[in-house]
Amino acid sequence: MKNLLLLLVVLSGTLGLAQDKTNNIKGKVTYLDTPLVNAEVRVSTSGETVKTDTEGKYAVAAAPGQIITYSYPSMRSMEIVVEDVTRILNVELTPEVNQLDEVVVSKTVLKSQKEMREEYALNKNIINTAFGFIDKETTNFSISIVEGKDLNPIGIDIATSLQYAIPSIKVERIPPINPVATIYLRGASMGMFPAIYDVDGLVMREFPFFLQVENIERVAVLRGLGAVVKYGGAANGGVIVINTKGANYYNNNTQVPNDLARLKGNIYDGGALASEKLEGDKPSYLTRLLASETEEEAKNTYREQIKIYGSSFYYVLDAYDYFSNRWNNKEFADKIIEENNAILKDNPIALKVLAYTYQAEGRLEEANDVYKEIFTLRPNYAQSYMDIANSYRELGEYQKAAAIYARYGYLLEEGFLRAEGDLGIIMERELNNLIALKGRELLSKRELKKLVLDDEFDGTRLVFEWNDSEAEFELQFVNPEGNYFKSEHSLLADADRIKDEKISGFSSEEYHIDDSIRGVWQVNAKYFGNKSLTPTYLKATVYHNYGSASQRKETKLFKLSLRNVNQQLFTVTNLASVVSN
């Protein structure tokens, strides 16, 4: 990607990312809907600490970028990154130690080697060793696992990267006698036993200096007697297990791709509800609008309601959608947006919904204008770059789209932006796809020959985006045979991921459906809520025949408001069988 950026654009200057604004934040801390009294709410940097009152309520001041930590005895602490729009944070804590259910589980929770091998690509708690796969969640000895993407490639060798990524690692070098690193997991004062290394099943005593950080998939550190028993006395100092990319993924030696929906034999029970069966999902004002028999009656109802609900952007956007799609009156719908612009502007959460709505309606120029507004409000959000670049691409302005991707890459390399998690992969895929399909309009033949793009898969690509970074939900993908795969986006499932998303400023994820086996996939969602107890809008972009000359895409928009109910979103027809993230 770096070479391509140099071909496209050269930028100079800096981007000011400082945020001087302070938000007054309030909310409630609970457990199972019960207020937690005297729960501690602490703001990073400033160190300001407050306690919740008898109703579990609190109020605190914090600036965007700061972290608020919620803690209570016997409860798991929770960290939330403050954003520009953060005003209300209602937090529900969970017990530190989960007690066993009264019912005895009759089926073993231990996974077979075959199950772990198949889950390796998805489950970051699994590491492959010389003695088989190990699951961090079920092993009886201490193990720490770090993803390769979380290792900083800057340093003398991978020992430097490991030193900053894994606690209690000590790296010794004795140049010029022995410039190669020696790693101690317990410190030089505890027996002077160095760690040994297990690289893709090959056990060695010497540090594997020949490995590059870019080629590492996963690293695990094994400590304790369990490691010694498996590796013998040589492991007295612990074991560092290194899995390289491509060497540990499941291969069933057939041409049939691995279907993650089948990993645990999950059978879909058909329990997801269609939108028309979701009772209580629609606010009362929308129910009344939908009951209007004529357009004029609906307009009169709107004129009454706007006096009551005019301060809510949810109402304004619902009213726009109603008149735009129910009565196909774009002029009146646009007038609603124009007259209530004050409630939308300067609010990136509301503006995102408007942009999503325009895209779903095919009003691409209007969507582009809104994305420009969001970019102005959030120039330090990685999502802003992807949204505006993709919007320009939808308009056929490929040079502008490529320039935005290039600008993002430049700011990333210079350290003005951060890219935690998977966003870098998504952004690079977007750029690669643009060049693969429109490269002749962007680069010369000589530049195209020099360019090496990553191989793309054949099939359908699904990209999900959400307007509120506090949103927590679960996506369920049901394959043509009735098995399902689930992906949960929540603080409980992966707090580090949520934190990384907010620090980087992105709210999107992608899934791939391979086209080798055709059929109908169903996509469902279960909404867990957000910290302000308001609805969240989920946009799904479906890319059919992804990466081919016949690639096409469609945009779908869903309003999630009813909590803890599995609901049907859409189906992907005559495509695919494999879901992976």
Side-chain angles (χ1 to χ4, degrees), residues 112-114 116-118 120 126-129 131-135 243 248-250:
S112 67
Q113 285 293 303
K114 182 177 183 295
M116 287 190 284
R117 181 171 65 248
E118 292 175 346
Y120 178 88
I126 294 177
I127 192 76
N128 192 9
T129 76
F131 302 94
F133 288 87
I134 296 176
D135 190 334
N243 290 174
N248 299 279
Y249 286 100
Y250 176 61

Side-chain angles (χ1 to χ4, degrees), residues 179-223:
V180 178
T182 300
I183 296 181
Y184 295 88
L185 300 184
R186 302 171 183 170
S189 62
M190 298 190 67
M192 294 298 293
F193 293 115
I196 62 172
Y197 308 90
D198 177 346
V199 181
D200 294 331
L202 178 63
V203 181
M204 57 185 71
R205 293 175 180 267
E206 297 297 325
F207 174 75
F209 62 89
F210 51 86
L211 291 177
Q212 300 295 319
V213 173
E214 294 80 3
N215 294 327
I216 294 177
E217 179 69 32
R218 200 168 294 167
V219 178
V221 172
L222 280 58
R223 300 180 176 90

Side-chain angles (χ1 to χ4, degrees), residues 268-282 474 476 478 522-527 558-560 562-571:
Y268 175 58
D269 61 5
L273 298 178
S275 58
E276 60 270 16
K277 295 182 179 180
L278 293 174
E279 297 182 6
D281 190 42
K282 295 181 178 62
E474 175 186 270
Q476 182 184 56
V478 184
Q522 181 172 311
V523 181
N524 305 322
K526 182 184 293 185
Y527 183 49
F558 306 93
K559 182 182 180 182
L560 306 179
L562 199 60
R563 296 177 60 184
N564 300 317
V565 175
N566 200 22
Q567 55 186 290
Q568 298 176 14
L569 296 185
F570 61 94
T571 58

Side-chain angles (χ1 to χ4, degrees), residues 327 497 531:
W327 300 105
R497 173 187 174 184
K531 298 299 179 291

Side-chain angles (χ1 to χ4, degrees), residues 225-252:
L225 294 177
V228 175
V229 170
K230 287 181 176 293
Y231 289 87
N236 283 336
V239 183
I240 296 177
V241 182
I242 302 175
N243 290 174
T244 60
K245 291 183 177 179
N248 299 279
Y249 286 100
Y250 176 61
N251 182 2
N252 57 10

